Amino acid sequence: MCPLCGIKDGIIFHALVSCLEKQQVWFASPLGLKMDTTRHNEFKAWLTDCTTQVKEDFKSITITLCWAIWFGRNQLAFQKKKMVVMEANHIDNAK
């Protein structure tokens, strides 16, 4: 079960991409990705498609964000600590 949305979905794709909470993270990131979850249903296919469509310097952001989302998910699932995600546009406006 997803610790954020409560949907009974134990797949990696949901944990990193298709959960509504995660979709907000991707959209708020410097990548500004809007998720089309009907196009993919597995993480490997999504990641391959995503990394071929972004600029070379955004590939590292994609991988890092995947790690951060997984880390945050594990913090919530195992230590009951909810991480706060800063929206990219709020960070940019603060500079």
Side-chain angles (χ1 to χ4, degrees):
M1 181 171 294
C2 177
L4 282 173
C5 70
I7 291 176
K8 194 171 186 174
D9 193 345
I11 62 172
I12 294 172
F13 183 69
H14 178 82
L16 296 176
V17 180
S18 68
C19 175
L20 292 176
E21 296 255 349
K22 303 311 185 307
Q23 290 181 38
Q24 294 172 1
V25 172
W26 285 105
F27 184 69
S29 77
L31 302 172
L33 294 179
K34 281 186 131 181
M35 295 301 165
D36 180 6
T37 57
T38 60
R39 191 168 163 195
H40 299 290
N41 62 359
E42 64 177 43
F43 179 71
K44 183 179 178 182
W46 172 84
L47 184 61
T48 301
D49 191 39
C50 182
T51 55
T52 58
Q53 293 183 24
V54 296
K55 297 177 188 175
E56 191 65 34
D57 55 335
F58 282 157
K59 288 182 183 182
S60 62
I61 294 172
T62 303
I63 301 302
T64 303
L65 195 51
C66 286
W67 177 85
I69 290 170
W70 187 254
F71 179 79
R73 178 236 177 254
N74 287 342
Q75 287 285 93
L76 180 61
F78 300 115
Q79 297 180 7
K80 306 298 183 221
K81 294 180 183 176
K82 186 168 182 174
M83 294 182 68
V84 177
V85 178
M86 299 288 291
E87 291 184 284
N89 60 349
H90 289 171
I91 294 169
D92 288 341
N93 289 336
K95 291 180 182 181

